Every structure is written in C-alpha cells, then in structure tokens.
Amino acid sequence: MSSDQFADALSLARGAGRVEIFTGAGMSAESGLDTFRDARTGLWTKVDPVAFASLDSWARDPEPMWAWYLWRASVCRGAEPNAGHRAIAEWAGWAARDGAHLGVTTQNIDDLHERGGARDVVHLHGSLFDYRCTICSRPWRGGVDYPAEPVARQAPPACPLCGNLIRPGVVWFGEPLPQDEWDRAEARMLAADLVVVVGTSGVVQPAAGLPALAKQFGARVLEISPEETELSRAADVSWRSTAAQGLPELVLGLTL
Ligand code: APR
C-alpha cells in the first residue's frame, strides 16, 4: 500500500457528510469466510453456482441446497466481525454525532456488519438467517438445526400455512433483488457524497452498478481492494489495501 494512496483516500473521506459503504464478500474474508471468485478458495470453485444458487436447482432437488446454506450459516455463526466491520461502525457513530450519515449497502448474506456494530445495513442479496416459504413467502421463524459438519443433504421444513418448502431468504441467480432494499440502496447512493467500495469484484449486476450511479450524481468513489477489480477504473481512488487493514487506518486518520 503506498502512502500516497492512503493520503488520497483520506482526502476523499475528510469532510464527506453522507457516506455509503458498499461491500462484498471480501469484507468478510479476514473473518475467515470464503469469497466467491477467489481463484483458490472461492465458493464458486467448490460448488457450481447454478446448482447451488438457482431457483431451477431448488425446484429440482432442494435438499443439497438447504444443507449447503445451513452449513454456510453455521460457519458464519462461528466467525467474528473483523477490524474492518468495527471501523465502519465507529465511523458511523461519530458521523451521526456530527450530524452526518454513514450507511452500509452490502451484497453479503452474513450478519457480520450488524454484529460488528453497524446499525443501518441494506442487504441487497438477502440474509443467511432469513427464511421464507418458497410459494406463499410467509417468513419462517421456526428453529433451524445448524449442522456441526457439512452434510450432503438436509430436508427443509414445510410451511405451516401452505405446506410448501421453506427456502433460504437469499437472492439466487436470475431472481429479482428485494425491491424495498434496492430502493433504499439507490436512494442512499444518489444522496451520497462518498461511496467506499470494499470487498467486491464488481461483476454481478445490478448491485455492481450502484457506485457508478452514485458517481453520476456527484459522489466521489474510494475503492479499498487488494487487487484491481471491475470497479477500480471508475473509482476516484483505488487503494490497494484490505478491509481489516485499510478501513481502521482510514478511520484512525479521520480522527487525527
Ligand atoms: N479485503 C478487501 N477485499 C478483499 C479481501 C480483503 N481481505 N479479500 C478478497 N477481497 C476482494 C477480492 O479481490 C474480490 O475482488 O473481494 C472481492 C470478492 O469478490 P467476489 O468473490 O466476486 O464476491 P462479491 O463481489 O461479493 O460477489 C458478488 O456474486 O455470487 C454472487 O451473490 C453473490 O453477492 C455475491 C455476488
């Protein structure tokens, strides 16, 4: 990481009144959760995204998918928020005290932003801990037995209202994003002075289009990423760092 990049990042962040942090799986990498497209460890190198993240696969054979999402939820419950999650919450705290605003728009389905102290989080792709009926969409509040080890198959419960299968409350490929969450994220991006992009390859639309939309409406864009991404070229500053190193440094720099 060059000190020039840090200085440039700090100058972007200083004085920003409305900040939106836009995150992806890399935000949770230093908490031990796999990203999707890392060439060696990415989730999509271990399972076929079409087979484990599509409505067609769910309709054909739901048990392997139910087992996989419960396993991911189990792993997430064992993970801890990292210094990057906590730095965002700290920044949000004193932004609020200064009459400013900092929100989080995430593509992640884990709950580490919330467990790291963030209060205003939009989940564009749903949550590992929300469940609903596949057909009537009634939310499922029943108990879920999280597996201690990965299992190949697990039968999802039946909806008490209509008898159809309970599914994970996440967005699968080809499904629309939750409209209310999208509307919240879009409104915050249009109002943002600064969008800080952390931990996303920027390849999945429509979420990946949000930083560019914010920029069209006057926001500056700071990317914190260990490598170049699809969003690097459009960023005002693309700082080679990581979530758990860069964000705490940035927040510390803002307090000095
Ligand atoms: N700090 C910051 N960024 C990191 C770190 C880290 N410690 N480690 C990895 N990264 C970066 C990688 O370089 C990569 O650019 O995080 C990014 C992760 O990219 P993806 O694995 O593609 O994850 P993401 O962008 O969140 O995927 C978007 O794709 O499969 C769908 O629904 C899924 O929400 C997901 C969407």
Side-chain angles (χ1 to χ4, degrees), residues 66 133-134 138 140 155-167:
W66 182 252
C133 175
T134 304
R138 182 178 190 265
W140 165 260
C159 172
L161 198 63
C162 71
N164 287 289
L165 294 182
I166 298 302
R167 58 163 283 179

Side-chain angles (χ1 to χ4, degrees), residues 30-228:
E30 285 151 295
S31 296
L33 300 189
D34 288 338
T35 63
F36 290 96
R37 293 173 183 82
D38 182 285
R40 290 171 299 101
T41 61
L43 286 168
W44 296 149
T45 63
K46 298 171 184 165
V47 296
D48 170 10
V50 174
F52 278 82
S54 73
L55 196 53
D56 290 347
S57 298
W58 178 259
R60 233 187 344 270
D61 185 7
E63 294 193 6
M65 284 175 70
W66 182 252
W68 188 62
Y69 278 96
L70 287 199
W71 169 242
R72 286 181 62 198
S74 179
V75 172
C76 178
R77 283 155 46 102
E80 290 301 324
N82 60 54
H85 294 107
R86 291 194 297 274
I88 289 171
E90 183 187 347
W91 190 356
W94 45 261
R97 285 193 293 279
D98 294 350
H101 179 269
L102 183 145
V104 178
T105 292
T106 188
Q107 301 169 90
N108 297 344
I109 56 178
D110 65 54
D111 60 351
L112 294 182
H113 277 302
E114 291 85 349
R115 286 166 54 199
R119 293 284 166 270
D120 191 2
V121 183
V122 170
H123 282 270
L124 293 173
H125 293 164
S127 166
L128 279 170
F129 303 100
D130 286 344
Y131 305 96
R132 69 173 188 271
C133 175
T134 304
I135 302 301
C136 76
S137 295
R138 182 178 190 265
W140 165 260
R141 304 267 187 267
V144 173
D145 50 332
Y146 295 104
E149 294 297 325
V151 293
R153 307 180 69 82
Q154 200 164 333
C159 172
L161 198 63
C162 71
N164 287 289
L165 294 182
I166 298 302
R167 58 163 283 179
V170 300
V171 178
W172 285 326
F173 288 109
E175 289 190 310
L177 275 58
Q179 191 61 48
D180 52 344
E181 294 295 273
W182 175 261
D183 292 345
R184 280 178 65 204
E186 193 177 52
R188 283 153 51 153
M189 291 290 176
L190 295 184
D193 302 315
L194 174 68
V195 174
V196 182
V197 180
V198 189
T200 183
S201 57
V203 299
V204 175
Q205 299 295 347
L210 285 171
L213 177 70
K215 195 171 172 119
Q216 280 175 351
F217 281 76
R220 307 298 294 281
V221 176
L222 163 61
E223 179 185 49
I224 301 175
S225 176
E227 61 189 7
E228 184 167 339

